[in-house]
Amino acid sequence: MSGEQVLIGSIDQGTTSTRFIIYDKQARPIGSHQVEFTQFCPQAGWVEHDPMEIVESVRVCVTKAIDKATADGHNVDSGLKAIGLTNQRETTVVWSKSTGCPLHNAIVWMDVRTTSICRRLEKELQGGRTHFVDTCGLPISTYFSALKLLWLMENVDAVKEAVAKKDALFGTIDTWLIWNLTGGINGGLHVTDVSNASRTMLMNLKTLEWDKPTLETLGIPPEILPKIVSNSEVIGNITTGWPITGIPIAGCLGDQHAAMVGQACRKGEAKSTYGTGAFILLNTGEEAIQSTHGLLSTVAFKLGPDAPANYALEGSIAIAGAAVQWLRDGLGIIKSASEIEELALQVDSTGGVYFVPAFNGLFAPWWRDDARGVCIGITRFTNKCHIARAVLESMCFQVKDVLDSMHKDAGEKGEVKNEKGEFLLRVDGGATVNNLLMQIQADLLGSPVVRPADIETTALGAAYAAGLAVGVWTEDEIFAAGHKTDKATFFHPTLMEELRKKKVDSWCKAVSRTFDLADLSL
């Protein structure tokens, strides 16, 4: 390979694993490595990560991916122009400015320990659960970072002391990684991007700055917060001690926003990412639409300091692929996640079984943290194949619930349709390799599902943002790339409308059975 090769790297830090992927100028992956890290559940409903293990996972992935690309003849040392970063959102870290050490494990986005804080705020604040919606687009929920930060400030002595001494720094995982990558205690940059900041409950959606009245209401000192930057700009260079010293970090997005860029979602287009959870975003252009049907208003992306912000309606589903992991690790019904498709294909229906994976409550559009998982319709006829198929259907039903809400919020003018009048759902994420899952999704939606040739669009979106900032790609090139559907796979609905309606009615009945179950006796 020539030394003139142009390469872009992408750190993709997810809920259960970290990856580093190196792309060439044609946006083709030429080297990658992935490692899983530990997820701790110290109590029911609590989910934590070790921030230091996440930093180390990045180091390992970068080293191994570079080794692989180099072994294949690519000149990474001279070719790598920039790094993009994408991360699990809402997961919250507080660390010491002076020592660089985390003051507690990271509290993960799906953790529900802040339920009592949410109830307290709902009672104290005039607007109740929706008190901050006009400002940040988000309801009071265990999901968002501000509540996790409050819990740490109220319950962890080390955090209380560090805040009092002005030695505490707060950040989501993007902030934590950038701080470490750019120097840590030796001048590390304390920054976040607009997409991650929009998930904290603390950023004003209109000004794209930290909202002072919100900080005052919650008692959060502004000095512990990072600086907010756009999704595509040179943030700073990677420090010594890392395998890619001196390379600029030039792109940063929350994972779902990165997937929107990777899928090249223009105004009126939507994508669904199927990972641990599932996340559906509809680009609403330069207008932030307030949902009246249980969705969130959020920043989609802002591709440059002077670029306009695109906004999105989002529906977040807490448990999607995590339900498959539960079948594997919790029940032992399957030995690997990939086995679920084969098992589910052994039956042509769920046999009347409906599974609702409300393990830690339900997110959009229900927003019920008192919900718990149920499996109903079980008969003597039911076997593990029916359960497996019901788990796959549960993911698709939840996505349909969110898309139905989006259609109501956005209206006919807010969505782009093809020449046949069909709304296309773009899909990505690891679970989309499951063809049965994708066909079930199309059947339940009654409209086509489009799977790109490269389903890892989260990492690709971060690479695009970084490459855009350093001149490797233009915005036109990036968004044109998303419409090359010659290699995409289309799944068209085959289910009769009458049966679809009956199944949806049964699903809604099953969801209603999950409510008010959080206090069941152990």
Side-chain angles (χ1 to χ4, degrees), residues 105-427:
N105 273 344
I107 301 180
V108 179
W109 57 271
M110 67 180 79
D111 184 289
V112 295
R113 74 185 66 187
T114 58
T115 299
S116 60
I117 295 177
C118 292
R119 296 294 86 78
R120 184 184 80 210
L121 290 173
E122 287 170 11
K123 289 177 182 176
E124 291 176 355
L125 299 176
Q126 186 177 5
R129 187 173 157 272
T130 60
H131 182 83
F132 299 108
V133 165
D134 287 346
T135 303
C136 68
L138 310 175
I140 293 172
S141 166
T142 59
Y143 187 15
F144 304 114
S145 310
L147 288 310
K148 303 177 196 302
L149 174 57
L150 284 185
W151 187 92
L152 289 166
M153 291 169 62
E154 292 176 8
N155 294 277
V156 179
D157 288 341
V159 173
K160 291 180 194 174
E161 292 169 11
V163 170
K165 294 177 181 176
K166 301 191 183 305
D167 186 44
L169 295 176
F170 155 80
T172 43
I173 297 296
D174 58 310
T175 302
W176 167 245
L177 288 178
I178 291 171
W179 190 79
N180 279 281
L181 285 164
T182 58
I185 59 173
N186 298 310
L189 299 172
H190 190 216
V191 300
T192 190
D193 74 273
V194 288
S195 64
N196 276 293
S198 76
R199 313 298 298 183
T200 61
M201 282 181 57
L202 303 176
M203 189 188 82
N204 186 304
L205 272 185
K206 296 183 180 72
T207 66
L208 305 183
E209 295 175 350
W210 300 122
D211 190 68
K212 291 180 181 178
T214 301
L215 297 181
E216 290 170 2
T217 299
L218 296 176
I220 293 174
E223 63 267 16
I224 73 173
L225 303 178
K227 175 187 174 184
I228 300 174
V229 298
S230 77
N231 299 121
S232 179
E233 62 181 272
V234 175
I235 296 168
N237 292 342
I238 296 177
T239 191
T240 54
W242 288 87
I244 43 178
T245 298
I247 302 299
I249 300 170
C252 181
L253 310 94
D255 50 10
Q256 305 316 316
H257 314 265
M260 286 205 88
V261 176
Q263 288 271 34
C265 285
R266 292 189 174 99
K267 180 181 178 181
E269 297 177 336
K271 68 88 201 171
S272 179
T273 300
Y274 301 74
T276 302
F279 304 88
I280 307 91
L281 280 82
L282 172 72
N283 188 331
T284 61
E286 294 179 34
E287 179 187 5
I289 294 177
Q290 294 291 358
S291 174
T292 56
H293 297 90
L295 303 181
L296 310 174
S297 300
T298 193
V299 172
F301 46 75
K302 179 178 165 64
L303 297 177
D306 300 319
N310 271 231
Y311 294 90
L313 283 169
E314 174 172 346
S316 306
I317 294 164
I319 303 295
V324 179
Q325 295 167 352
W326 175 72
L327 281 187
R328 180 192 68 194
D329 303 333
L331 298 187
I333 287 178
I334 53 177
K335 291 181 180 177
S336 68
S338 59
E339 289 179 19
I340 191 170
E341 182 175 15
E342 181 183 352
L343 191 62
L345 279 168
Q346 292 178 32
V347 290
D348 57 9
S349 76
T350 66
V353 172
Y354 287 80
F355 173 73
V356 186
F359 296 160
N360 287 6
L362 289 171
F363 285 0
W366 310 98
W367 296 106
R368 296 289 297 246
D369 56 25
D370 63 339
R372 290 297 179 267
V374 301
C375 190
I376 66 172
I378 299 171
T379 66
R380 183 66 182 83
F381 172 70
T382 303
N383 62 37
K384 63 182 180 180
C385 302
H386 297 109
I387 301 294
R389 195 173 184 108
V391 167
L392 294 183
E393 282 197 357
S394 76
M395 297 162 66
C396 300
F397 276 120
Q398 291 181 95
V399 171
K400 177 177 170 52
D401 287 342
V402 167
L403 277 169
D404 285 348
S405 292
M406 280 183 177
H407 296 323
K408 293 170 186 172
D409 278 332
E412 284 294 316
K413 294 181 180 178
E415 299 173 339
V416 173
K417 296 182 179 179
N418 65 11
E419 61 280 357
K420 296 180 182 178
E422 298 170 317
F423 181 78
L424 305 182
L425 178 65
R426 293 161 170 77
V427 298

Side-chain angles (χ1 to χ4, degrees), residues 432-445:
T432 60
V433 298
N434 186 321
N435 289 329
L436 175 60
L437 177 71
M438 295 294 95
Q439 185 59 50
I440 291 171
Q441 187 68 83
D443 284 340
L444 292 181
L445 291 178

